[in-house]
Coordinates of all heavy atoms in Angstrom, one line a residue:
M1266 N -192.0 122.9 44.9 CA -192.5 123.4 46.2 C -192.8 124.8 46.1 O -191.9 125.5 45.6 CB -191.5 123.0 47.4 CG -192.0 123.4 48.7 SD -190.8 123.1 50.0 CE -190.8 121.4 50.1
S1267 N -193.9 125.2 46.6 CA -194.2 126.7 46.5 C -193.4 127.4 47.5 O -192.9 126.9 48.5 CB -195.7 126.9 46.7 OG -196.0 126.6 48.0
K1268 N -193.3 128.8 47.3 CA -192.5 129.6 48.2 C -193.1 129.6 49.6 O -192.5 129.6 50.7 CB -192.5 131.0 47.6 CG -191.7 131.2 46.5 CD -191.6 132.6 46.0 CE -190.8 132.7 44.7 NZ -190.8 134.2 44.2
T1269 N -194.4 129.6 49.7 CA -195.2 129.6 51.0 C -194.8 128.3 51.7 O -194.5 128.3 52.9 CB -196.7 129.6 50.7 OG1 -197.0 130.8 50.0 CG2 -197.4 129.7 52.1
K1270 N -194.8 127.1 51.0 CA -194.5 125.9 51.8 C -193.1 125.9 52.3 O -192.8 125.3 53.4 CB -194.8 124.7 50.9 CG -196.3 124.3 50.6 CD -196.5 123.2 49.8 CE -197.9 122.8 49.6 NZ -198.2 121.7 48.7
L1271 N -192.2 126.4 51.4 CA -190.8 126.4 51.8 C -190.6 127.3 53.0 O -189.8 127.0 53.9 CB -190.0 126.9 50.6 CG -188.5 127.0 50.8 CD1 -187.8 125.6 51.2 CD2 -187.8 127.6 49.6
L1272 N -191.3 128.4 53.1 CA -191.2 129.3 54.2 C -191.7 128.7 55.4 O -191.1 128.7 56.5 CB -191.9 130.7 53.9 CG -191.9 131.7 55.0 CD1 -190.5 132.1 55.3 CD2 -192.7 132.9 54.6
K1273 N -192.8 128.1 55.3 CA -193.5 127.4 56.5 C -192.5 126.2 56.9 O -192.3 126.1 58.2 CB -194.8 126.7 56.1 CG -195.8 127.8 56.0 CD -197.1 127.1 55.6 CE -198.2 128.1 55.5 NZ -199.5 127.5 55.1
L1274 N -191.8 125.5 56.0 CA -190.9 124.4 56.4 C -189.7 125.0 57.1 O -189.2 124.5 58.1 CB -190.5 123.6 55.1 CG -189.5 122.5 55.4 CD1 -190.1 121.4 56.3 CD2 -189.1 121.9 54.1
T1275 N -189.2 126.1 56.6 CA -188.0 126.7 57.2 C -188.3 127.3 58.6 O -187.6 127.1 59.5 CB -187.6 128.0 56.3 OG1 -187.2 127.5 55.0 CG2 -186.3 128.6 56.9
V1276 N -189.4 127.8 58.7 CA -189.8 128.3 60.0 C -190.0 127.1 61.1 O -189.5 127.3 62.2 CB -191.1 129.1 60.0 CG1 -191.7 129.5 61.4 CG2 -190.9 130.4 59.2
A1277 N -190.5 126.1 60.5 CA -190.7 124.9 61.4 C -189.4 124.3 61.8 O -189.2 124.0 63.0 CB -191.6 123.9 60.7
V1278 N -188.5 124.2 61.0 CA -187.2 123.5 61.2 C -186.4 124.5 62.1 O -185.8 124.0 63.1 CB -186.3 123.4 59.9 CG1 -184.9 123.0 60.2 CG2 -187.0 122.3 59.0
H1279 N -186.5 125.9 61.9 CA -185.8 126.8 62.9 C -186.4 126.6 64.2 O -185.6 126.8 65.3 CB -185.9 128.2 62.4 CG -184.9 128.4 61.3 ND1 -184.4 129.6 61.0 CD2 -184.5 127.6 60.2 CE1 -183.6 129.6 60.0 NE2 -183.6 128.4 59.5
A1280 N -187.7 126.5 64.4 CA -188.4 126.4 65.7 C -187.9 125.1 66.4 O -187.6 125.0 67.5 CB -189.9 126.3 65.4
V1281 N -187.8 124.0 65.7 CA -187.4 122.7 66.3 C -185.9 122.9 66.6 O -185.6 122.4 67.9 CB -187.6 121.5 65.2 CG1 -186.8 120.4 65.8 CG2 -189.1 121.3 65.0
L1282 N -185.0 123.5 65.9 CA -183.7 123.6 66.3 C -183.5 124.5 67.6 O -182.9 124.2 68.5 CB -182.9 124.3 65.1 CG -182.6 123.3 63.9 CD1 -182.0 124.1 62.8 CD2 -181.9 122.1 64.2
A1283 N -184.4 125.6 67.6 CA -184.3 126.5 68.7 C -184.9 125.8 70.0 O -184.3 126.0 71.1 CB -185.2 127.7 68.5
T1284 N -185.8 124.8 69.8 CA -186.3 124.1 70.9 C -185.1 123.2 71.6 O -185.0 123.1 72.8 CB -187.4 123.2 70.6 OG1 -188.5 124.0 70.0 CG2 -188.0 122.5 71.8
F1285 N -184.4 122.5 70.6 CA -183.3 121.7 71.1 C -182.2 122.5 71.8 O -181.7 122.2 72.9 CB -182.7 120.9 70.0 CG -183.4 119.8 69.5 CD1 -183.7 119.7 68.0 CD2 -183.9 118.9 70.3 CE1 -184.5 118.6 67.6 CE2 -184.8 117.8 69.8 CZ -185.0 117.7 68.5
V1286 N -181.9 123.7 71.3 CA -180.9 124.6 71.9 C -181.4 125.0 73.3 O -180.7 125.1 74.3 CB -180.7 125.8 71.0 CG1 -179.9 126.9 71.8 CG2 -179.8 125.3 69.8
A1287 N -182.8 125.4 73.4 CA -183.3 125.9 74.6 C -183.2 124.8 75.7 O -182.8 125.1 76.9 CB -184.7 126.3 74.5
V1288 N -183.5 123.5 75.4 CA -183.5 122.5 76.3 C -182.1 122.2 76.8 O -181.8 122.1 78.0 CB -184.1 121.1 75.7 CG1 -183.7 120.0 76.5 CG2 -185.6 121.3 75.5
D1289 N -181.1 122.3 75.8 CA -179.7 121.9 76.2 C -179.1 123.2 77.0 O -178.4 123.0 78.0 CB -178.8 121.8 75.0 CG -177.4 121.4 75.2 OD1 -177.3 120.2 75.7 OD2 -176.5 122.2 75.1
A1290 N -179.5 124.4 76.6 CA -178.9 125.6 77.3 C -179.4 125.6 78.8 O -178.7 125.9 79.6 CB -179.4 126.8 76.6
R1291 N -180.7 125.3 79.0 CA -181.3 125.2 80.4 C -180.6 124.2 81.2 O -180.3 124.4 82.3 CB -182.7 124.9 80.3 CG -183.6 126.1 80.3 CD -185.1 125.8 80.6 NE -185.8 126.8 79.9 CZ -186.5 126.6 78.7 NH1 -186.4 125.5 78.1 NH2 -187.1 127.6 78.2
K1292 N -180.3 123.0 80.6 CA -179.7 121.9 81.2 C -178.2 122.3 81.7 O -177.7 121.9 82.7 CB -179.6 120.7 80.3 CG -179.2 119.4 81.0 CD -179.5 118.2 80.2 CE -178.9 118.3 78.7 NZ -179.0 117.1 78.0
R1293 N -177.6 123.1 80.9 CA -176.2 123.5 81.1 C -176.1 124.8 81.8 O -175.0 125.3 82.2 CB -175.4 123.6 79.8 CG -175.3 122.3 79.1 CD -174.7 122.4 77.7 NE -174.7 121.3 77.0 CZ -173.7 120.3 76.9 NH1 -172.6 120.5 77.6 NH2 -173.9 119.3 76.2
G1294 N -177.2 125.5 82.1 CA -177.2 126.7 82.8 C -176.7 127.9 82.0 O -176.1 128.8 82.6
R1295 N -176.9 127.8 80.7 CA -176.5 128.9 79.9 C -177.6 129.8 79.5 O -178.8 129.6 79.8 CB -176.0 128.3 78.5 CG -174.7 127.3 78.8 CD -174.3 126.7 77.6 NE -173.7 127.7 76.7 CZ -173.3 127.5 75.4 NH1 -173.4 126.2 75.0 NH2 -172.7 128.4 74.8
C1296 N -177.3 131.0 78.9 CA -178.4 132.0 78.6 C -179.2 131.4 77.4 O -178.8 131.2 76.3 CB -177.6 133.2 78.1 SG -178.7 134.5 77.6
V1297 N -180.4 131.2 77.8 CA -181.5 130.5 76.9 C -181.9 131.5 75.8 O -181.9 131.2 74.7 CB -182.6 129.9 77.7 CG1 -183.6 129.4 76.7 CG2 -182.1 128.9 78.6
G1298 N -182.3 132.7 76.3 CA -182.9 133.6 75.3 C -182.1 134.0 74.2 O -182.5 134.1 73.0
K1299 N -180.8 134.4 74.5 CA -179.8 134.7 73.4 C -179.7 133.6 72.3 O -179.8 133.9 71.2 CB -178.5 135.0 74.0 CG -177.4 135.3 73.0 CD -176.1 135.7 73.7 CE -175.5 134.5 74.3 NZ -174.1 134.7 74.7
W1300 N -179.6 132.4 72.8 CA -179.3 131.3 71.9 C -180.6 130.9 71.1 O -180.4 130.5 69.9 CB -178.6 130.1 72.6 CG -177.2 130.4 72.9 CD1 -176.8 130.7 74.2 CD2 -176.2 130.6 72.1 NE1 -175.4 130.9 74.1 CE2 -175.0 131.0 72.7 CE3 -176.0 130.6 70.6 CZ2 -173.8 131.3 72.2 CZ3 -174.8 130.9 70.0 CH2 -173.7 131.3 70.8
V1301 N -181.6 131.0 71.7 CA -182.9 130.7 71.0 C -183.1 131.7 69.9 O -183.4 131.3 68.8 CB -184.1 130.7 71.9 CG1 -185.4 130.7 71.3 CG2 -184.0 129.5 72.9
A1302 N -182.9 133.0 70.2 CA -183.0 134.1 69.2 C -182.1 133.9 68.0 O -182.5 133.9 66.9 CB -182.8 135.4 69.8
V1303 N -180.8 133.6 68.4 CA -179.8 133.3 67.3 C -180.2 132.2 66.4 O -180.1 132.2 65.2 CB -178.4 133.1 67.9 CG1 -177.4 132.6 66.9 CG2 -178.0 134.4 68.5
T1304 N -180.7 131.1 67.0 CA -181.1 129.9 66.3 C -182.3 130.1 65.4 O -182.5 129.7 64.3 CB -181.3 128.7 67.2 OG1 -180.0 128.5 68.0 CG2 -181.5 127.4 66.5
L1305 N -183.3 130.8 65.9 CA -184.5 131.2 65.3 C -184.2 131.9 64.0 O -184.7 131.8 62.9 CB -185.5 132.0 66.1 CG -186.4 131.1 67.1 CD1 -187.2 131.9 67.9 CD2 -187.2 130.1 66.4
L1306 N -183.2 132.9 64.1 CA -182.9 133.8 63.0 C -182.0 133.1 62.0 O -182.0 133.5 60.8 CB -182.3 135.0 63.6 CG -183.2 136.0 64.4 CD1 -182.5 137.1 65.0 CD2 -184.4 136.5 63.4
T1307 N -181.0 132.3 62.4 CA -180.0 131.8 61.6 C -180.1 130.3 61.3 O -179.4 129.8 60.4 CB -178.7 132.1 62.1 OG1 -178.4 131.5 63.4 CG2 -178.5 133.6 62.2
G1308 N -180.9 129.5 62.0 CA -180.9 128.0 61.8 C -179.7 127.3 62.1 O -179.2 127.4 63.2
L1309 N -179.2 126.6 61.2 CA -177.9 125.8 61.3 C -176.8 126.6 61.9 O -175.9 126.1 62.6 CB -177.7 124.9 60.1 CG -178.6 123.8 59.9 CD1 -178.3 123.2 58.6 CD2 -178.6 122.9 61.0
I1310 N -176.7 127.7 61.3 CA -175.6 128.6 61.8 C -175.6 128.8 63.3 O -174.6 128.9 64.0 CB -175.6 129.9 61.0 CG1 -175.3 129.7 59.5 CG2 -174.5 131.0 61.5 CD1 -175.6 130.9 58.6
G1311 N -176.9 129.1 63.8 CA -176.9 129.3 65.2 C -176.6 128.0 66.0 O -175.9 128.2 67.1
I1312 N -176.9 126.9 65.5 CA -176.5 125.6 66.1 C -174.9 125.5 66.2 O -174.4 125.1 67.1 CB -177.1 124.4 65.4 CG1 -178.6 124.5 65.5 CG2 -176.5 123.1 65.9 CD1 -179.1 124.0 66.8
V1313 N -174.3 125.8 65.0 CA -172.8 125.7 65.0 C -172.3 126.7 66.0 O -171.3 126.4 66.7 CB -172.4 126.1 63.5 CG1 -170.9 126.2 63.5 CG2 -172.8 124.9 62.6
L1314 N -172.7 128.0 66.0 CA -172.2 128.9 67.0 C -172.5 128.5 68.4 O -171.5 128.7 69.3 CB -172.9 130.4 66.7 CG -172.6 131.0 65.4 CD1 -173.4 132.3 65.4 CD2 -171.1 131.4 65.4
Y1315 N -173.6 127.9 68.8 CA -173.9 127.4 70.1 C -172.9 126.3 70.5 O -172.3 126.3 71.6 CB -175.3 126.9 70.1 CG -175.7 126.3 71.5 CD1 -176.0 127.1 72.6 CD2 -175.8 125.1 71.7 CE1 -176.2 126.6 73.8 CE2 -176.1 124.4 72.8 CZ -176.3 125.2 73.9 OH -176.7 124.7 75.1
A1316 N -172.7 125.4 69.5 CA -171.7 124.4 69.8 C -170.3 124.7 69.9 O -169.6 124.3 70.8 CB -171.8 123.2 68.6
L1317 N -169.9 125.8 69.2 CA -168.6 126.3 69.2 C -168.3 127.1 70.5 O -167.2 127.2 71.0 CB -168.3 127.1 68.0 CG -168.0 126.4 66.6 CD1 -167.9 127.4 65.6 CD2 -166.9 125.4 66.7
S1318 N -169.3 127.6 71.1 CA -169.2 128.6 72.2 C -168.9 127.8 73.4 O -168.6 128.2 74.5 CB -170.5 129.3 72.4 OG -171.5 128.5 72.9
G1319 N -168.9 126.4 73.4 CA -168.6 125.6 74.5 C -169.6 125.3 75.6 O -170.4 124.5 75.5
G1320 N -169.7 126.3 76.5 CA -170.7 126.1 77.5 C -170.0 126.0 79.0 O -170.8 125.9 80.0
G1321 N -168.8 126.1 79.0 CA -168.1 126.0 80.3 C -168.0 127.4 80.8 O -168.7 128.3 80.5
D1322 N -167.1 127.6 81.8 CA -167.0 128.8 82.4 C -166.3 129.8 81.5 O -166.3 131.1 81.7 CB -166.1 128.7 83.7 CG -166.7 127.8 84.8 OD1 -168.0 127.9 84.7 OD2 -166.0 127.2 85.5
E1323 N -165.7 129.2 80.4 CA -164.9 130.1 79.5 C -165.9 130.3 78.2 O -165.3 130.2 77.1 CB -163.7 129.6 79.1 CG -162.8 129.3 80.3 CD -161.7 128.3 80.0 OE1 -161.6 127.9 78.9 OE2 -160.8 128.1 81.0
D1324 N -167.1 130.7 78.3 CA -167.9 131.0 77.2 C -167.3 132.0 76.3 O -166.9 133.1 76.7 CB -169.3 131.5 77.5 CG -170.2 130.3 78.0 OD1 -169.8 129.2 77.8 OD2 -171.3 130.5 78.5
V1325 N -167.3 131.8 74.9 CA -166.8 132.7 74.0 C -167.9 133.7 73.6 O -169.0 133.2 73.4 CB -166.3 131.9 72.7 CG1 -165.8 133.0 71.7 CG2 -165.2 131.0 73.1
P1326 N -167.7 134.9 73.7 CA -168.8 135.9 73.3 C -169.3 135.6 71.8 O -168.5 135.2 71.0 CB -168.2 137.3 73.4 CG -166.9 137.1 74.3 CD -166.5 135.7 74.1
L1327 N -170.5 135.9 71.7 CA -171.2 135.6 70.4 C -170.5 136.4 69.2 O -170.3 135.9 68.2 CB -172.7 136.0 70.5 CG -173.5 135.8 69.2 CD1 -173.4 134.3 68.9 CD2 -175.0 136.2 69.5
D1328 N -170.2 137.6 69.5 CA -169.6 138.5 68.4 C -168.2 137.9 67.9 O -167.9 137.9 66.8 CB -169.4 139.9 68.7 CG -168.6 140.2 70.0 OD1 -168.3 139.2 70.8 OD2 -168.2 141.3 70.2
E1329 N -167.5 137.2 68.9 CA -166.2 136.6 68.6 C -166.5 135.4 67.7 O -165.7 135.0 66.8 CB -165.4 136.3 69.8 CG -164.8 137.5 70.5 CD -164.0 137.2 71.6 OE1 -163.5 135.9 71.7 OE2 -163.8 138.0 72.5
L1330 N -167.5 134.6 68.1 CA -167.9 133.4 67.3 C -168.3 133.8 65.9 O -167.8 133.0 64.9 CB -169.0 132.6 68.0 CG -168.6 131.9 69.3 CD1 -170.0 131.3 69.8 CD2 -167.6 130.7 69.0
V1331 N -169.0 134.8 65.8 CA -169.4 135.1 64.3 C -168.2 135.5 63.5 O -168.1 135.2 62.4 CB -170.4 136.3 64.4 CG1 -170.7 137.0 63.1 CG2 -171.7 135.9 65.1
D1332 N -167.2 136.1 64.2 CA -166.0 136.5 63.5 C -165.3 135.2 63.0 O -164.6 135.3 62.0 CB -165.1 137.4 64.2 CG -165.7 138.8 64.5 OD1 -166.6 139.1 63.6 OD2 -165.3 139.4 65.4
Q1333 N -165.3 134.2 63.8 CA -164.6 132.9 63.5 C -165.2 132.1 62.5 O -164.6 131.4 61.7 CB -164.5 132.0 64.8 CG -163.7 132.7 65.8 CD -163.7 131.8 67.1 OE1 -164.2 130.7 67.2 NE2 -163.1 132.3 68.2
V1334 N -166.5 132.2 62.3 CA -167.2 131.3 61.3 C -167.3 132.0 60.1 O -167.7 133.2 59.9 CB -168.7 131.1 61.7 CG1 -169.5 130.4 60.7 CG2 -168.7 130.4 63.1
E1335 N -166.8 131.3 58.9 CA -166.7 131.9 57.6 C -168.0 131.4 56.9 O -168.2 130.2 56.7 CB -165.5 131.3 56.9 CG -164.2 131.9 57.4 CD -163.1 131.4 56.5 OE1 -163.3 130.8 55.4 OE2 -161.9 131.6 57.0
L1336 N -168.7 132.4 56.5 CA -170.0 132.1 55.8 C -169.6 132.2 54.2 O -169.1 133.2 53.8 CB -171.0 133.1 56.1 CG -171.4 133.2 57.5 CD1 -172.5 134.3 57.8 CD2 -172.0 131.8 58.0
E1337 N -170.0 131.1 53.5 CA -169.7 131.1 52.1 C -170.8 131.3 51.3 O -171.9 131.0 51.6 CB -169.0 129.7 51.8 CG -167.7 129.6 52.5 CD -167.1 128.3 52.2 OE1 -167.4 127.6 51.2 OE2 -166.0 127.9 52.8

């Protein structure tokens, strides 16, 4: 697979993931813009951070979540 095709595929997957996050965040009354941006930039890491943040009244700040997730 060429680098261009891989880049296009990565962008498409990140866009689909961000769309799912946006729909869910709207439904739950959460900040849509922040989570869409995080997901577009990081992909699956953004999904994990979004899921770990909960969504209740006790939302964990994004910087605390990043500290909790170990990137290998």
